[in-house]
Amino acid sequence: MKQMQSYKDDKNNIIYYALYKNLDEILINSKFEFSGSGNIVFLDENAKLENCTICLKQNNIFFMGNSFLKKNVIVMWQDSLCYIGHHNYFNPHGQGRNFIISAKTNVIIGNFNLFSINIWFRTSDPHLIYDKKTNKRINHTKSIFIGDNVWVGQDCAFLKGVFVATGAVIGACSVLSNKTYYSNTINAGVPCKELKQNIFWKNFCDQDWDDETSKKYEFSVDNNFDFNENEFLDPKELDNKLLNLKDIREKFDFVYEKLYLNTHKNRFSLTSPLKNEYRGAVFRVKNMLSYKLGACLISNSKSFSGVIALPFKLLKIAIKHKRQSTFYNNLINIHPKFILPGIESYSDYKEALHYKNHLSYKLGFGLITSSKRYWGGD
């Protein structure tokens, strides 16, 4: 950990903060209320809190990067984590934000997010609800994860089990609960649902623009907001790891290394599953690696230039297919409901069998079979 100074009380609650600052410079009309013991607070060198109250009960971690919080009330009960990364903007006007983080759950917020006014986060209902037939509880507490570069409109509610992936937009007055919202999407409503895909956003504010400025920004000069899953951190795995680390110091070190030192833009990215590509058995067969490789072999064998380019095109198809397969496997690990049924369950199954007998599929299958170690499988 970087060199910092610390404050420690008689209940073993500790606050880490920058060497060259006083706590009064960081906590402007703000305070930490420790009603229990063993809590750890980490405030990075440019962290700043104004008009905030943070109540920590027992063995909690409040970890804040270089962000500015104003008008926030955060209550943490026991064995929980509140992580707020770098360069997050919390609108200082109007009403603030409210966090209630119940026992053994976490609220994790990444970097470069924009939060409007009057937003609240709650990882518990908190009263108990049971199934009448089984007498089993059905509303357990769950953590909340918000990735990087997420824009949240005003008057939104984040309830237990929410994961907002990097690059998403959440519209005003939305209620989010126990659901994943994917990268490069716009979502809104009660309950909040996906409205649009394939978007990216920038945090410019157009409220005082004239016609000339508006025209200047009519098109974006760059598109650095295309996210993928290459460096994906599975929220479910993070949650389980934090739950199983009983020692708070060990948990703090894990957060420091896994979240604070990891600034990769794809760490919380999750692309929306393709809605049409897997609709039907024919689509499924055509998306198999065998069929795609075989189709490429046929189309590129018709010209000399195509034959020369063939190895590179085959390799490109194989790499892309492997990425899609990795994404699918990650997706079903998080949400088993996305497991695809067998192709025999589709109404066009018999038609799909004809495509499996096409030359495209047979050529590709032969190529994979001859060197499966290199190409991988469908």
Side-chain angles (χ1 to χ4, degrees):
M1 187 174 76
K2 65 171 68 174
Q3 197 172 12
M4 306 183 80
Q5 61 178 315
S6 63
Y7 161 83
K8 191 173 184 179
D9 68 10
D10 57 359
K11 293 183 179 179
N12 203 32
N13 298 302
I14 189 166
I15 301 175
Y16 294 104
Y17 58 102
L19 275 174
Y20 56 88
K21 286 188 175 181
N22 296 318
L23 266 178
D24 291 343
E25 298 177 65
I26 303 170
L27 305 178
I28 302 171
N29 196 30
S30 299
K31 60 183 177 179
F32 286 95
E33 295 181 349
F34 299 109
S35 60
S37 61
N39 298 288
I40 299 177
V41 174
F42 179 92
L43 303 171
D44 204 353
E45 55 187 353
N46 291 317
K48 185 178 178 182
L49 297 92
E50 184 174 341
N51 297 322
C52 294
T53 299
I54 301 172
C55 306
L56 295 94
K57 306 293 185 180
Q58 188 82 15
N59 294 331
N60 298 291
I61 299 174
F62 178 81
F63 198 116
M64 183 171 166
N66 292 330
S67 294
F68 173 40
L69 294 182
K70 186 172 183 178
K71 297 182 180 178
N72 282 258
V73 175
I74 300 174
V75 178
M76 302 178 66
W77 288 89
Q78 183 173 338
D79 299 313
S80 296
L81 165 69
C82 180
Y83 178 91
I84 299 172
H86 298 305
H87 309 295
N88 292 291
Y89 176 80
F90 293 84
N91 193 320
H93 306 291
Q95 294 176 293
R97 273 73 33 184
N98 185 287
F99 296 70
I100 300 179
I101 307 175
S102 297
K104 298 182 180 180
T105 56
N106 313 296
V107 172
I108 294 177
I109 296 173
N111 303 331
F112 297 102
N113 297 299
L114 191 156
F115 294 92
S116 187
I117 59 175
N118 194 28
I119 298 170
W120 53 276
F121 305 80
R122 194 160 195 162
T123 63
S124 171
D125 285 338
H127 304 295
L128 311 186
I129 300 175
Y130 294 86
D131 182 276
K132 190 175 180 180
K133 293 181 179 179
T134 64
N135 285 356
K136 185 176 181 180
R137 186 182 175 189
I138 59 175
N139 69 330
H140 296 91
T141 57
K142 293 182 181 179
S143 298
I144 296 170
F145 289 82
I146 298 176
D148 304 314
N149 198 61
V150 172
W151 174 14
V152 180
Q154 72 180 66
D155 297 304
C156 286
F158 290 80
L159 305 178
K160 63 183 192 299
V162 169
F163 171 35
V164 183
T166 294
V169 175
I170 306 298
C173 302
S174 296
V175 177
L176 301 82
S177 179
N178 203 31
K179 189 175 178 180
T180 294
Y181 300 88
Y182 297 97
S183 297
N184 302 112
T185 62
I186 296 175
N187 312 269
V190 182
C192 187
K193 62 182 180 180
E194 183 181 295
L195 302 179
K196 189 173 180 61
Q197 298 183 10
N198 299 316
I199 62 93
F200 66 95
W201 70 277
K202 294 186 175 182
N203 62 353
F204 301 122
C205 185
D206 65 355
Q207 291 176 334
D208 61 348
W209 284 5
D210 55 22
D211 290 343
E212 184 178 349
T213 307
S214 296
K215 186 176 180 180
K216 176 182 176 182
Y217 288 98
E218 184 65 22
F219 294 93
S220 176
V221 296
D222 68 277
N223 179 4
N224 191 32
F225 302 100
D226 186 16
F227 305 105
N228 58 64
E229 292 77 41
N230 290 346
E231 303 292 331
F232 182 65
L233 293 176
D234 186 338
K236 187 175 181 179
E237 290 182 6
L238 282 175
D239 220 26
N240 289 336
K241 183 69 174 180
L242 289 166
L243 183 63
N244 291 324
L245 290 172
K246 304 301 181 184
D247 182 82
I248 191 168
R249 188 72 216 188
E250 190 178 0
K251 186 185 292 188
F252 176 83
D253 292 341
F254 174 79
V255 171
Y256 188 90
E257 180 180 352
K258 202 73 174 179
L259 294 175
Y260 178 70
L261 296 182
N262 181 359
T263 58
H264 199 286
K265 77 168 189 172
N266 292 319
R267 60 186 182 157
F268 288 117
S269 63
L270 189 61
T271 306
S272 182
L274 300 175
K275 293 187 175 180
N276 295 315
E277 188 168 351
Y278 299 114
R279 186 177 296 164
V282 172
F283 280 105
R284 295 276 298 279
V285 170
K286 285 186 173 182
N287 195 55
M288 290 179 176
L289 183 58
S290 296
Y291 192 94
K292 291 189 287 189
L293 291 176
C296 182
L297 282 167
I298 293 173
S299 63
N300 282 271
S301 64
K302 298 176 181 179
S303 66
F304 179 75
S305 60
V307 172
I308 296 298
L310 186 58
F312 304 100
K313 291 189 175 182
L314 291 173
L315 182 61
K316 184 177 180 180
I317 290 171
I319 291 173
K320 184 177 180 181
H321 185 87
K322 185 176 181 180
R323 286 177 179 171
Q324 289 176 338
S325 298
T326 301
F327 162 64
Y328 172 69
N329 290 329
N330 287 334
L331 179 65
I332 63 176
N333 283 333
I334 302 171
H335 299 290
K337 67 180 180 180
F338 287 119
I339 294 176
L340 298 171
I343 61 172
E344 66 277 1
S345 65
Y346 292 96
S347 60
D348 61 344
Y349 173 59
K350 290 184 178 179
E351 184 183 356
L353 291 180
H354 292 300
Y355 281 91
K356 274 203 166 187
N357 288 318
H358 279 192
L359 180 61
S360 295
Y361 186 90
K362 290 183 176 180
L363 282 174
F365 185 79
L367 179 63
I368 292 173
T369 304
S370 64
S371 185
K372 191 161 186 174
R373 184 177 175 184
Y374 180 75
W375 293 105
D378 283 334

